[in-house]
Amino acid sequence: MGIYIHFTDEQKERANSVDLEEFLRRRGEKLLRAGRESRLTRVHHITVRGSEWYDHIARRGGHAVSFVQHYYGTTYQEAMELLLGNELGEAYPAAQPKREEPLKPFALPPPHTDMRQVYAYLMKQRHISRKVITHFARAGLLYEDAQYHNCVFVGTDEQGVPRHAHKRSTNSLGKSFKVNVEGSRPQYSFHHVGQDSILYVFEAPVDMLSFLTLHPEGWQEHSYVALCGTGGQAVRWMLEQSAYLRDVVLCLDHDEPGQTAAKRLQEELQGAGYHSSILLPVHKDWNDDLVQGQAMAGGAEHVAPSPCRNRTMPAKGVVRPAAGPGPGSSWTTKKVTFERDLSTEDR
């Protein structure tokens, strides 16, 4: 049993003020920049900024001491000793006071003169239909940027003015690059508005286009949105703008972060009176299904909404949710309130 150590208030404040980015770098951790925050390479769902951290799956966060306890599984005393430098014989620097930086004005990246590299990447590597690509290109919602030849997926507001842009690299070698353009407003992420009551929700624009390639028949009748992460702001905006959208099909990735987010969104949507279900790709995401030749028929699983939420069934063709609400539900229109978004890319 270890010896109890009493920590003064000054020591507690000093430990909790340690700059977590510098602390992690000194311990050999690799970080990826995600806007104003940094994301751990080994555990993408944890982000740090200054002395603060947030776990986007566990949906909890705090300051340096609780981070060490959460991430390294230490006791409070062990975390304090580590942050105060007892283990390595050195003190870690304190984080600089957080300064609220003004948001940069949003501006679309300058377009290239053609879209050859984007078409080549999306068709040859991602197997997305030329017709689907051309539809969004002609609508001004997809283009190739001039500097790096990235795919740029554009999201517009109520008046059709661009307010969001998501860049995706077209390189075939090395690590892929994807990021939202600074100043993007998350509620306006890449989307298509149809005429019927169904809204399909995806994590990434490439998954959304892959789904349309897999199920091209009459796809323009339905509405679709790519969250560019797993936050719910874009879903809320779509529902607020189009009162006829009543059935939401959550098509997020078939992995722990994606399904954690899907279940959270489903509960919030059902609580607001919407009919919501979860549709799982066979592989990790819809582009994996497309590339590996998996059609939805006999492939993807449709997770029925509550109270039959634990039952799965094969989905045949484009999934149309039930025409009416499930037992205990109501069609009364309510404002959907989403908890803190799970993706820092959405901020």
Side-chain angles (χ1 to χ4, degrees), residues 243-289:
Y244 55 84
L245 292 175
R246 305 303 306 162
D247 308 309
V248 183
V249 185
L250 300 165
C251 308
L252 278 63
D253 288 0
H254 198 165
D255 57 14
E256 183 183 1
Q259 290 312 298
T260 297
K263 290 171 185 175
R264 173 181 59 85
L265 291 171
Q266 184 182 47
E267 290 176 1
E268 291 163 355
L269 287 163
Q270 290 177 343
Y274 293 92
H275 188 282
S276 177
S277 58
I278 294 173
L279 187 65
L280 300 173
V282 175
H283 300 94
K284 177 185 175 294
D285 57 47
W286 296 98
N287 187 248
D288 283 349
D289 278 14

Side-chain angles (χ1 to χ4, degrees), residues 17-18 35 45 68 102 107 121 146 218 233 270 317 344:
S17 300
V18 164
H45 55 83
V68 173
Y121 169 73
Q233 293 187 39
Q270 290 177 343
T344 56

Side-chain angles (χ1 to χ4, degrees), residues 92-278:
Y92 294 101
Q96 295 298 314
K98 186 191 296 184
R99 292 179 300 175
E100 290 301 326
E101 302 173 16
L103 287 175
K104 291 186 177 181
F106 173 75
L108 288 172
H112 192 55
T113 54
D114 59 56
M115 291 181 59
R116 291 177 185 173
Q117 202 156 319
V118 165
Y119 267 93
Y121 169 73
L122 293 177
M123 292 177 63
K124 294 180 180 179
Q125 294 188 45
R126 296 295 184 169
H127 296 196
I128 293 170
S129 161
R130 175 182 286 274
K131 289 184 179 179
V132 170
I133 299 168
T134 299
H135 172 87
F136 288 97
R138 287 178 175 170
L141 302 178
L142 172 60
Y143 69 93
E144 182 175 319
D145 77 12
Q147 186 173 9
Y148 298 109
H149 302 280
N150 294 313
C151 302
V152 182
F153 299 93
V154 181
T156 58
D157 64 12
E158 300 90 331
Q159 284 75 43
V161 177
R163 301 290 187 188
H164 186 283
H166 180 78
K167 295 192 292 185
R168 176 63 165 87
S169 61
T170 56
N171 62 299
S172 58
L173 300 174
K175 192 172 181 61
S176 63
F177 167 84
K178 48 188 175 180
V179 69
N180 292 335
V181 172
E182 283 197 76
S184 291
R185 299 176 65 179
Q187 65 268 41
Y188 300 122
S189 62
F190 186 66
H191 63 275
H192 167 80
V193 179
Q195 295 83 42
D196 67 13
S197 67
I198 307 173
L199 171 63
Y200 292 91
V201 181
F202 303 86
E203 286 191 35
V206 166
D207 290 325
M208 175 176 147
L209 300 188
S210 299
F211 188 89
L212 301 184
T213 300
L214 283 164
H215 312 290
E217 185 178 354
W219 71 262
Q220 295 183 43
E221 298 174 9
H222 320 304
S223 295
Y224 307 83
V225 63
L227 304 178
C228 300
T230 53
Q233 293 187 39
V235 178
R236 178 176 60 193
W237 180 78
M238 291 282 286
L239 296 174
E240 289 174 352
Q241 295 304 307
S242 304
Y244 55 84
L245 292 175
R246 305 303 306 162
D247 308 309
V248 183
V249 185
L250 300 165
C251 308
L252 278 63
D253 288 0
H254 198 165
D255 57 14
E256 183 183 1
Q259 290 312 298
T260 297
K263 290 171 185 175
R264 173 181 59 85
L265 291 171
Q266 184 182 47
E267 290 176 1
E268 291 163 355
L269 287 163
Q270 290 177 343
Y274 293 92
H275 188 282
S276 177
S277 58
I278 294 173

Side-chain angles (χ1 to χ4, degrees), residues 325-341:
S329 299
S330 168
W331 285 125
T332 303
T333 302
K334 301 179 184 178
K335 186 176 181 64
V336 185
T337 302
F338 292 98
E339 296 185 15
R340 174 173 178 165
D341 288 338

